Amino acid sequence: MSNPLGPMETASLADQAYQRLRDAVREGTLRPGEKITERDLAARLGVSPTPVREALRQLVHEKVVERVGTRALRIADHPPAARSEVVEAEVRLSALMARLAARNATDAQLAELAELLDRADGLVAELERVLAQQGADAAVADLLTALFRMLRQFHHRVEASVGNPVLEGLLHQARAFSDEERLDLTMKLAPERAEAFRRRYREHRGLLDALLDRDEERAEQLAMHHHREALIQLSSI
């Protein structure tokens, strides 16, 4: 496993520092309750303290890191119930966004969502072909990664179609897992829960149909079920 605190590439150092630190917390490189400093983290990441300071500011805002003094910081140690409550918040906000998307999305935005799922169908067909031929693990992993990113793009576009940046911001803050965390966990789950993932993939079509029908109630219920099942699975790892 690569060290999430290894040297970083250039370009958007603050964003990279944020993602590396989040990964380090998730993977246990930075442990709950561990005291941290900007200077030490900057040295481990191979950058100046400035991007680390910006990343920590965001992580404090998200309650991943907490201040325990003027300059003292530590990795937050949340009880299991706290993660469960965050998951529930994300589920309910995602469901609300689906309801509002059914109300507010333009015809052009809905057409883009349909085109995105058509492309995803092509990836699924190719993935099934490779699996049937017992293709190389690397090829399967590449296809799964591409499919995952396309489906995350689908959900982000549903949220964007609401046209409410305040709600988008709230949902971003309430995310129990970043997209990269979701990808890592999905790749671990996929081999043993293949049929469950096939079923969940098909649910995207159901949600799109509800949006096309402008059926707010159905869109909300489908999204709630879909996101709750996904987050519960990811939380079980």
Side-chain angles (χ1 to χ4, degrees), residues 81-140:
R83 171 58 72 91
S84 176
E85 289 165 356
V86 171
V87 165
E88 185 62 24
E90 181 177 348
V91 167
R92 291 185 179 276
L93 281 169
S94 297
L96 174 61
M97 294 296 267
R99 169 182 280 276
L100 295 177
R103 180 187 308 172
N104 297 339
T106 66
D107 289 344
Q109 287 171 324
L110 293 176
E112 289 176 357
L113 290 173
E115 191 271 337
L116 198 57
L117 284 192
D118 286 344
R119 287 163 52 200
D121 286 345
L123 283 176
V124 170
E126 178 63 13
L127 178 60
E128 295 288 4
R129 184 188 68 78
V130 172
L131 287 172
Q133 295 178 355
Q134 297 183 332
D137 290 345
V140 172

Side-chain angles (χ1 to χ4, degrees), residues 48-159:
S48 70
T50 300
V52 172
R53 187 176 304 121
E54 294 179 25
L56 287 173
R57 187 178 298 118
Q58 179 62 27
L59 291 168
V60 168
H61 180 68
E62 295 175 2
K63 311 300 184 186
V64 175
V65 172
E66 57 188 9
R67 293 196 177 276
V68 292
T70 305
R71 293 183 177 275
L73 296 160
R74 71 182 174 199
I75 305 302
D77 188 4
H78 298 301
R83 171 58 72 91
S84 176
E85 289 165 356
V86 171
V87 165
E88 185 62 24
E90 181 177 348
V91 167
R92 291 185 179 276
L93 281 169
S94 297
L96 174 61
M97 294 296 267
R99 169 182 280 276
L100 295 177
R103 180 187 308 172
N104 297 339
T106 66
D107 289 344
Q109 287 171 324
L110 293 176
E112 289 176 357
L113 290 173
E115 191 271 337
L116 198 57
L117 284 192
D118 286 344
R119 287 163 52 200
D121 286 345
L123 283 176
V124 170
E126 178 63 13
L127 178 60
E128 295 288 4
R129 184 188 68 78
V130 172
L131 287 172
Q133 295 178 355
Q134 297 183 332
D137 290 345
V140 172
D142 287 346
L143 286 166
L144 275 173
T145 298
L147 178 60
F148 170 88
R149 296 196 187 284
M150 197 168 288
L151 294 178
R152 289 309 297 161
Q153 186 179 3
F154 173 84
H155 288 298
H156 291 321
R157 285 193 184 184
V158 169
E159 294 154 12

Side-chain angles (χ1 to χ4, degrees), residues 169-225:
L170 287 173
L171 180 54
H172 177 73
Q173 292 179 31
R175 297 248 190 245
F177 304 94
S178 70
D179 280 358
E180 291 308 310
E181 287 175 311
R182 287 171 183 263
L183 175 57
D184 284 350
L185 295 171
T186 297
M187 296 299 282
K188 292 176 183 177
L189 281 171
E192 61 186 64
R193 301 187 184 179
E195 189 51 47
F197 278 100
R198 288 187 180 94
R199 184 181 70 255
R200 288 189 50 249
Y201 173 75
R202 292 192 291 269
E203 290 172 359
H204 292 85
R205 280 289 175 189
L207 177 57
L208 176 62
D209 288 343
L211 296 176
L212 291 170
D213 291 341
R214 304 290 183 178
D215 190 329
E216 296 179 24
E217 185 69 25
R218 181 156 54 98
E220 182 175 30
Q221 292 303 314
L222 288 172
M224 184 171 294
H225 170 78

